[in-house]
Amino acid sequence: MKKIALLGATGSIGTSTIDVVTSYPDLFQIISLTFHSNIEEGSILIEKLNPQYVGVGSKEMEIELSQRFPNIAFGVGEVGLIKAATLDTVDVVLTAVSGSVGLKPTMAAIEAGKDIALANKETLVMAGKWVIEAAIKNNVNILPVDSEHSAIFQCLEGQKKDNLKELMITASGGSFRDLSREDLKSVTLEQALKHPNWSMGKKITIDSSTMMNKGLEVIEAHWLFGVDYDKIKVVLHKESIVHSMIVLKDGAYLAQLGASDMREPIQYALTYPTRLPIKKEKEFDLTQIGQLNFEAMDFERFPMLKLAFTVGKKGGAYPTVYNAANEIAAAAFINEQISYLQIEQLVQRAVENYTETTEVTLAQVIEIDKKTRTIVERWIKEEGRL
Ligand code: NAD
Ligand code: MG
């Protein structure tokens, strides 16, 4: 029986994880879970999964839920997330919160010796160096949940590291892949939230359209697989069937293919190296898909992808700034405080505004993350919607 802490249980990844877990009740048990604000949905999950511990977003939620579920322990905010992730009985923490709020509980879980099934890519972008160092030191596994990274992880199985020439991450292109930069001036939130292939949380859907998501994934891949940025390539693949590839020295390509169904990488992260069937409404059938297309990525069309390589190569807290600025800008766009192209402008400006060149510590990285958020929030307040 694998005992799981699920951070971000009410989200898109959280819901798919619960699907996987409840389909194998003899193999998995949710020991603890967290959710931020949706108390109705959260209560349904508590009833369904009967966890020992629940982390919630506010004191009011804690009071209300403690009355309804007197046998369950509750905690609030960061304390709740950390406690949920570090309970003695937990074996693996599935990090499905959105944003860099995932960093502290992930670090705490690693220090407590828990394996990590990592969906929350922002954590690795913000502080990859420290997360990976801690994982090595504490001998814990970080198993990718992100579909591209799960694909690469699967392709790398059994390969000698020096056989690898490069990683090739596929990108669907997001909601605006067929629009020009000129067209982007007038796009709406509603249009941005319509992803052609995947149904996901709001932030990652916006990030997919700006190609910020792919930028975050490039940095995530660098840390997960220890591969230099020069050896990470991105290719546009509109079907999202090839989840990603590796290229070997002799020119051979290995790819992992499948449906756009996050239950597959989630389950593999939880059962690795075992594989188990997944019940599907419709079988994956390549003959129904017929054609797969690949195109070169246009870095001028998608400047956030180009910027990911720049900040990644600069290292230090540059990726932290890139991520923090985007979290604020994407949230402001979702709240309709700024227009679409302002997301990119704010991220670009925050990165240009950051000029540190010295080595940074984890404590400084956390400070820089906070400071970047404050600065970008101020810019948004001063300038408003342009
Ligand atoms: P979502 O918005 O659907 O869900 C986010 C979850 O985090 C919710 O349970 C919410 O209650 C919780 N949360 C939000 N803000 C919080 C806060 N401040 N403190 C504590 N909890 C908070 O997001 P999602 O689409 O499920 O994505 C979750 C993570 O997984 C992200 O890092 C995303 O990049 C990554 N990911 C998602 C997908 C996908 O298909 N959705 C694929 C790959 C990676
Ligand atoms: Mg992905």
Side-chain angles (χ1 to χ4, degrees):
M1 178 74 96
K2 194 162 261 182
K3 299 200 163 70
I4 300 164
L6 176 56
L7 311 184
T10 49
S12 159
I13 292 287
T15 305
S16 298
T17 303
I18 291 166
D19 232 40
V20 167
V21 167
T22 51
S23 68
Y24 286 104
D26 300 339
L27 296 182
F28 304 122
Q29 186 187 2
I30 302 268
I31 294 285
S32 55
L33 58 86
T34 77
F35 53 90
H36 194 54
S37 50
N38 194 335
I39 192 160
E40 291 77 34
E41 209 179 310
S43 308
I44 295 169
L45 296 183
I46 296 173
E47 267 164 23
K48 183 170 168 180
L49 302 164
N50 191 27
Q52 291 171 16
Y53 185 89
V54 175
V56 294
S58 69
K59 191 74 196 158
E60 295 71 42
M61 287 168 80
E62 183 189 30
I63 294 168
E64 188 179 330
L65 289 167
S66 303
Q67 283 166 359
R68 276 188 65 184
F69 302 100
N71 298 326
I72 295 174
F74 290 88
V76 181
E78 193 176 291
V79 173
L81 284 163
I82 291 174
K83 180 84 180 173
T86 55
L87 289 184
D88 278 353
T89 39
V90 165
D91 301 315
V92 56
V93 180
L94 199 141
T95 63
V97 290
S98 172
S100 55
V101 66
L103 177 67
K104 285 186 185 167
T106 305
M107 284 301 269
I110 293 172
E111 277 153 19
K114 315 293 186 194
D115 283 338
I116 307 293
L118 185 124
N120 176 236
K121 64 193 88 182
E122 293 92 342
T123 282
L124 270 194
V125 175
M126 178 186 172
K129 175 174 178 280
W130 295 274
V131 174
I132 296 300
E133 273 174 14
I136 293 169
K137 189 171 148 226
N138 292 283
N139 200 22
V140 310
N141 295 313
I142 300 190
L143 297 147
V145 166
D146 213 346
S147 58
E148 294 78 0
H149 304 74
S150 176
I152 291 169
F153 179 70
Q154 293 175 56
C155 293
L156 285 172
E157 271 175 59
Q159 289 299 331
K160 291 203 184 89
K161 189 132 197 231
D162 21 300
N163 284 344
L164 184 71
K165 184 172 166 228
E166 57 200 22
L167 307 181
M168 189 145 311
I169 300 178
T170 53
S172 71
S175 351
F176 298 142
R177 62 193 184 190
D178 297 322
L179 301 192
S180 69
R181 290 204 59 82
E182 188 56 33
D183 297 335
L184 292 178
K185 286 181 182 160
S186 56
V187 293
T188 64
L189 174 63
E190 199 190 355
Q191 292 167 325
L193 286 174
K194 281 198 189 114
H195 195 286
N197 306 347
W198 297 91
S199 155
M200 310 184 284
K202 282 186 184 170
K203 183 207 175 239
I204 187 174
T205 306
I206 300 303
D207 287 355
S208 298
S209 74
T210 54
M211 210 49 71
M212 194 66 206
N213 182 51
K214 213 47 59 181
L216 299 174
E217 290 184 353
V218 165
I219 300 169
E220 181 187 12
H222 167 77
W223 290 116
L224 276 177
F225 305 113
V227 172
D228 287 348
Y229 287 101
D230 291 335
K231 293 184 173 177
I232 303 177
K233 302 279 150 42
V234 180
V235 61
L236 187 66
H237 168 52
K238 291 185 179 173
E239 292 86 1
S240 293
I241 295 296
V242 173
H243 294 319
S244 277
M245 303 172 251
I246 65 170
V247 188
L248 300 175
K249 267 186 186 160
D250 58 4
Y253 277 59
L254 304 187
Q256 189 263 336
L257 287 73
S260 308
D261 182 346
M262 286 308 293
R263 291 178 303 172
E264 293 183 17
I266 290 169
Q267 181 170 293
Y268 195 55
L270 295 176
T271 60
Y272 169 79
T274 305
R275 289 186 185 262
L276 295 172
I278 298 181
K279 272 207 202 86
K280 292 190 191 135
E281 299 69 42
K282 212 172 113 207
E283 276 303 309
F284 177 64
D285 180 358
L286 273 179
T287 64
Q288 290 294 314
I289 294 152
Q291 276 191 10
L292 298 176
N293 294 282
F294 301 93
E295 289 168 56
M297 263 337 282
D298 180 347
F299 284 91
E300 302 310 315
R301 166 65 183 80
F302 295 112
M304 291 300 100
L305 182 59
K306 188 172 172 183
L307 191 58
F309 284 94
T310 309
V311 297
K313 286 179 189 171
K314 282 192 170 195
Y318 279 90
T320 316
V321 171
Y322 171 79
N323 177 64
N326 178 61
E327 282 191 27
I328 298 299
F333 177 68
I334 290 167
N335 294 327
E336 304 200 70
Q337 291 166 290
I338 59 171
S339 63
Y340 184 75
L341 283 175
Q342 278 178 282
I343 305 174
E344 290 178 356
Q345 286 155 12
L346 288 163
V347 174
Q348 189 85 43
R349 188 169 156 196
V351 170
E352 279 163 14
N353 188 56
Y354 179 69
T355 49
E356 284 294 334
T357 47
T358 49
E359 283 265 309
V360 283
T361 62
L362 179 57
Q364 285 168 326
V365 157
I366 292 169
E367 265 318 297
I368 292 162
D369 172 81
K370 256 198 215 138
K371 202 170 144 193
T372 306
R373 286 163 196 273
T374 312
I375 293 170
V376 177
E377 272 164 3
R378 198 186 69 220
W379 289 340
I380 292 170
K381 218 169 172 185
E382 282 167 4
E383 286 168 9
R385 193 185 170 106
L386 299 176

